């Protein structure tokens, strides 16, 4: 076996074993427990469940240290993870501190890997300093976006697996071994979590895991778009469009309702699908992952075509918005 194959296998085994260890540890010592009795919008489970799934994924990613890129990202990865794990532990981190850690993680990663998007495709360019700010905000934004869609068993992890699969294929096309290795190692660790989380929800990703996966997904995409002419920035947006649009749509929706965008509510698309279509936790995730999969995988076929990827983004936005309006009307008539 090659080093990459050993790393992929090792990431899976470590993550898989740690998922069960964290389940046992969490219940035995009442750490990282998501209580099913709590009153909160995203509460769709019937048993107290560990929120420590991200710990297994983090330790599975240790094989990234076999690459120079992994060493550069070590501190940023830890900060991204820490910005959420304190919330999973005892909800002691306020929003400002959490965002500060995320911005430091994103800024460090952008500067150390020179992952700066300055070309937007279609003949549009950004000044370098604007590109730095744009790249940092994009990473922080996707970190929180993945956390928002983490509402049902297998939803966030399933979407991230598809994203990393697409990135891996394009990394092969542009012959970047480090990005391929990073995508496959992280995907292997996430797959191990997915098999424990879906369909029964024996363990949850937690804020730490969700922020970590959002960080890796965003940084990988930005790195590819900023370093390879064969990769259009619109391809990256097309692949990430579901969590990105979920956030943007939610901000506009809450503003129109006179609420703060930071205030959680029960009107995200996955929640409406659960209430008005599936009435089932894992089935909700399955419906969304299958529906979003074409918008992630098909752009892989034309990663260098900005026009085609822009059309893909617009098609998703239209489909999402119409489907949301249809479900929301049903909500209003209940």
């Amino acid at each position: 076996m090659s080093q990459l194959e050993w790393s992929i296998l090792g990431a899976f085994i470590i993550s898989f074993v740690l998922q069960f260890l964290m389940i046992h540890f969490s219940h035995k010592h009442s750490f990282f427990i998501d209580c099913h009795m709590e009153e909160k919008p995203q509460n769709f489970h019937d048993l107290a469940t560990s929120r420590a799934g991200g710990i297994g994924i983090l330790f599975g990613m240790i094989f990234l240290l076999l690459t120079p890129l992994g060493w550069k990202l070590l501190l940023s990865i830890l900060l991204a993870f820490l910005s959420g794990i304190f919330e999973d532990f005892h909800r002691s981190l306020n929003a400002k501190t959490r965002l500060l850690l995320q911005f430091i993680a994103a800024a460090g990663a952008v500067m150390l890997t020179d992952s700066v998007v300055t070309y937007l495709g279609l003949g549009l360019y950004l000044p370098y300093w604007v590109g730095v700010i744009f790249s940092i905000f994009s990473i922080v934004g996707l970190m929180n976006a993945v956390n928002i869609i983490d509402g049902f068993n297998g939803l966030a992890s399933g979407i991230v697996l598809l994203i990393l699969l697409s990135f891996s294929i394009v990394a092969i096309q542009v012959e970047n071994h480090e990005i391929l290795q990073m995508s496959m190692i992280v995907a292997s660790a996430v797959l191990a979590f997915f098999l424990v989380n879906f369909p029964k929800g024996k363990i949850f990703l937690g804020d730490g895991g969700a922020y970590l996966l959002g960080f890796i997904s965003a940084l990988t995409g930005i790195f590819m778009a900023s370093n390879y002419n064969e990769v259009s920035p619109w391809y990256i947006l097309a692949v990430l469009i579901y969590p990105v649009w979920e956030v943007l749509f939610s901000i506009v929706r809450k503003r129109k309702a006179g609420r703060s965008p930071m205030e959680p509510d029960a009107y995200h698309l996955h929640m409406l699908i659960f209430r008005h279509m599936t009435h089932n936790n894992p089935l909700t995730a399955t419906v969304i992952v299958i529906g979003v999969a074409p918008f992630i995988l098909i752009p892989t076929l034309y990663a260098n075509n900005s026009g085609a990827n822009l059309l893909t983004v617009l098609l998703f936005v239209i489909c999402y918005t119409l489907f949301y309006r249809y479900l929301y009307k049903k909500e209003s008539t209940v």
Side-chain angles (χ1 to χ4, degrees):
M1 293 177 68
S2 67
Q3 178 181 305
L4 176 57
E5 291 170 331
W6 278 114
S7 297
I8 292 171
L9 178 61
F12 179 88
I13 292 173
I14 290 175
S15 178
F16 192 72
V17 170
L18 278 175
Q19 301 305 328
F20 289 99
L21 288 177
M22 292 313 303
I23 292 172
H24 173 76
F25 177 83
S26 295
H27 286 285
K28 183 177 180 179
H29 300 284
S30 297
F31 282 166
F32 304 110
I33 291 293
D34 195 337
C35 181
H36 62 295
M37 302 296 290
E38 288 186 25
E39 290 286 339
K40 54 184 180 179
Q42 294 211 161
N43 193 345
F44 298 97
H45 56 290
D46 299 319
L47 298 171
T49 306
S50 172
R51 294 167 54 91
I55 293 177
I57 295 174
L58 178 69
F59 278 91
M61 289 167 52
I62 194 170
F63 291 92
L64 292 178
L65 297 180
L66 296 176
T67 69
L69 187 60
W71 277 106
K72 288 181 181 179
L73 293 174
L74 177 60
L75 181 58
S76 292
I77 287 173
L78 290 175
L79 287 176
F81 180 72
L82 288 174
S83 71
I85 196 62
F86 285 110
E87 184 73 10
D88 297 322
F89 182 41
H90 48 54
R91 296 171 171 79
S92 62
L93 205 63
N94 62 56
K96 289 183 178 179
T97 304
R98 183 168 63 247
L99 280 173
L100 178 61
L101 288 176
Q102 292 173 359
F103 272 104
I104 293 173
V110 164
M111 301 310 295
L112 289 173
T113 61
D114 196 27
S115 299
V116 180
V117 176
T118 54
Y119 179 58
L120 299 180
L122 305 174
L124 301 174
Y125 289 86
L126 294 175
Y128 182 81
W129 67 272
V130 176
V132 170
I133 296 173
F134 173 79
S135 300
I136 292 172
F137 271 86
S138 296
I139 294 173
V140 173
L142 195 70
M143 290 172 69
N144 288 276
V146 171
N147 192 43
I148 285 176
I149 67 169
D150 182 30
F152 292 96
N153 301 341
L155 178 52
S157 54
I159 293 295
V160 169
L161 281 172
L162 291 176
I163 291 170
L164 293 175
L165 173 61
S166 179
F167 286 167
S168 297
I169 294 171
V170 174
I172 293 172
Q173 294 172 358
V174 299
E175 299 181 350
N176 187 294
H177 182 72
E178 282 195 317
I179 288 297
L180 174 63
Q181 190 169 22
M182 183 164 75
S183 298
M184 293 302 294
I185 288 172
V186 176
S188 184
V190 175
L191 177 61
F193 163 80
F194 179 85
L195 294 176
V196 183
N197 171 252
F198 183 87
K200 298 296 185 179
K202 297 181 182 297
I203 190 170
F204 293 159
L205 195 57
D207 287 4
Y211 290 145
L212 176 63
L213 296 188
F215 173 83
I216 291 292
S217 299
L219 180 64
T220 304
I222 289 173
F223 183 89
M224 294 172 68
S226 62
N227 285 279
Y228 295 94
N229 294 329
E230 303 96 323
V231 181
S232 166
W234 290 100
Y235 155 71
I236 305 302
L237 179 59
V239 170
L240 302 176
I241 188 58
Y242 168 50
V244 168
W245 185 246
E246 181 68 47
V247 168
L248 296 177
F249 187 86
S250 297
I251 290 173
V252 174
R253 172 174 59 78
K254 291 176 182 178
R255 284 293 190 188
K256 288 181 66 175
R259 299 196 306 271
S260 167
M262 303 296 292
E263 179 185 343
D265 67 10
Y267 296 99
H268 292 288
L269 179 65
H270 52 276
M271 298 173 178
L272 296 181
I273 290 175
F274 175 82
R275 287 200 294 273
H276 301 292
M277 286 183 61
T278 63
H279 309 288
N280 178 279
N281 187 319
L283 182 58
T284 302
T286 302
V287 167
I288 296 174
V289 170
I290 291 175
V292 173
F295 295 96
I296 296 176
L297 298 177
I298 292 177
T300 310
L301 303 175
Y302 43 85
N304 64 338
N305 190 323
S306 293
N309 280 292
L310 175 57
L311 289 176
T312 302
V313 168
L314 292 176
L315 179 60
F316 177 88
V317 168
I318 292 170
C319 291
Y320 177 105
T321 305
L322 292 176
F323 188 43
Y324 188 95
R325 290 185 65 181
Y326 165 74
L327 292 175
Y328 191 76
K329 284 183 179 179
K330 297 184 72 173
E331 178 85 14
S332 302
T333 59
V334 173

